Short mmCIF file of all heavy atoms in Angstrom, two decimals:
data_model
loop_
_atom_site.label_atom_id
_atom_site.label_comp_id
_atom_site.label_asym_id
_atom_site.label_seq_id
_atom_site.Cartn_x
_atom_site.Cartn_y
_atom_site.Cartn_z
N VAL A 237 -72.89 167.59 294.53
CA VAL A 237 -72.32 166.26 294.82
C VAL A 237 -71.08 166.03 293.97
O VAL A 237 -71.16 166.11 292.73
CB VAL A 237 -73.35 165.15 294.59
CG1 VAL A 237 -72.83 163.82 295.15
CG2 VAL A 237 -74.69 165.49 295.20
N GLY A 238 -69.95 165.74 294.59
CA GLY A 238 -68.70 165.50 293.86
C GLY A 238 -68.36 164.02 293.79
O GLY A 238 -68.69 163.25 294.69
N PHE A 239 -67.67 163.64 292.71
CA PHE A 239 -67.28 162.25 292.47
C PHE A 239 -65.82 162.19 292.03
O PHE A 239 -65.34 163.07 291.31
CB PHE A 239 -68.16 161.60 291.41
CG PHE A 239 -69.59 161.43 291.82
CD1 PHE A 239 -70.51 162.48 291.66
CD2 PHE A 239 -70.03 160.25 292.37
CE1 PHE A 239 -71.82 162.35 292.04
CE2 PHE A 239 -71.37 160.09 292.77
CZ PHE A 239 -72.27 161.14 292.60
N ALA A 240 -65.15 161.13 292.44
CA ALA A 240 -63.77 160.92 292.02
C ALA A 240 -63.64 160.39 290.61
O ALA A 240 -62.57 160.44 290.01
CB ALA A 240 -63.06 159.95 292.99
N GLN A 241 -64.75 159.88 290.06
CA GLN A 241 -64.77 159.37 288.70
C GLN A 241 -65.99 159.91 287.96
O GLN A 241 -67.09 159.95 288.54
CB GLN A 241 -64.80 157.85 288.69
CG GLN A 241 -63.54 157.19 289.25
CD GLN A 241 -63.66 155.67 289.18
OE1 GLN A 241 -64.74 155.11 289.30
NE2 GLN A 241 -62.51 155.03 288.99
N VAL A 242 -65.79 160.32 286.70
CA VAL A 242 -66.90 160.84 285.91
C VAL A 242 -67.95 159.78 285.69
O VAL A 242 -69.16 160.04 285.75
CB VAL A 242 -66.37 161.37 284.55
CG1 VAL A 242 -67.53 161.81 283.66
CG2 VAL A 242 -65.39 162.52 284.76
N GLU A 243 -67.52 158.54 285.47
CA GLU A 243 -68.47 157.45 285.23
C GLU A 243 -69.37 157.23 286.44
O GLU A 243 -70.55 156.88 286.29
CB GLU A 243 -67.70 156.16 284.88
CG GLU A 243 -67.05 156.17 283.50
CD GLU A 243 -65.76 156.96 283.47
OE1 GLU A 243 -65.29 157.42 284.55
OE2 GLU A 243 -65.21 157.12 282.37
N ALA A 244 -68.85 157.42 287.65
CA ALA A 244 -69.64 157.26 288.86
C ALA A 244 -70.76 158.31 288.92
O ALA A 244 -71.89 158.01 289.34
CB ALA A 244 -68.75 157.36 290.10
N ALA A 245 -70.42 159.53 288.51
CA ALA A 245 -71.45 160.57 288.46
C ALA A 245 -72.54 160.22 287.46
O ALA A 245 -73.73 160.41 287.72
CB ALA A 245 -70.80 161.91 288.08
N GLY A 246 -72.13 159.68 286.29
CA GLY A 246 -73.12 159.26 285.31
C GLY A 246 -74.00 158.15 285.83
O GLY A 246 -75.22 158.13 285.59
N GLN A 247 -73.43 157.24 286.60
CA GLN A 247 -74.22 156.15 287.19
C GLN A 247 -75.22 156.69 288.21
O GLN A 247 -76.35 156.22 288.31
CB GLN A 247 -73.30 155.12 287.84
CG GLN A 247 -73.99 153.90 288.41
CD GLN A 247 -74.71 153.10 287.33
OE1 GLN A 247 -74.25 153.03 286.20
NE2 GLN A 247 -75.85 152.53 287.69
N CYS A 248 -74.79 157.70 288.97
CA CYS A 248 -75.68 158.32 289.96
C CYS A 248 -76.89 158.95 289.27
O CYS A 248 -78.02 158.82 289.76
CB CYS A 248 -74.91 159.37 290.75
SG CYS A 248 -75.85 160.15 292.09
N VAL A 249 -76.67 159.61 288.16
CA VAL A 249 -77.79 160.19 287.39
C VAL A 249 -78.76 159.13 287.01
O VAL A 249 -79.99 159.26 287.21
CB VAL A 249 -77.24 160.89 286.13
CG1 VAL A 249 -78.40 161.31 285.21
CG2 VAL A 249 -76.41 162.14 286.50
N ALA A 250 -78.27 158.02 286.44
CA ALA A 250 -79.16 156.95 286.02
C ALA A 250 -79.93 156.35 287.18
O ALA A 250 -81.14 156.04 287.05
CB ALA A 250 -78.33 155.86 285.31
N GLU A 251 -79.30 156.21 288.33
CA GLU A 251 -79.98 155.60 289.49
C GLU A 251 -81.04 156.51 290.08
O GLU A 251 -82.07 156.05 290.55
CB GLU A 251 -78.95 155.17 290.53
CG GLU A 251 -78.07 154.01 290.08
CD GLU A 251 -77.46 153.26 291.24
OE1 GLU A 251 -77.95 153.42 292.38
OE2 GLU A 251 -76.48 152.51 291.00
N ILE A 252 -80.78 157.81 290.07
CA ILE A 252 -81.78 158.77 290.59
C ILE A 252 -83.05 158.69 289.75
O ILE A 252 -84.16 158.57 290.27
CB ILE A 252 -81.21 160.19 290.64
CG1 ILE A 252 -80.15 160.31 291.72
CG2 ILE A 252 -82.32 161.21 290.85
CD1 ILE A 252 -79.39 161.61 291.70
#
Side-chain angles (χ1 to χ4, degrees):
V237 190
F239 293 85
Q241 294 180 328
V242 176
E243 289 78 6
Q247 185 61 34
C248 183
V249 170
E251 291 202 17
I252 289 172

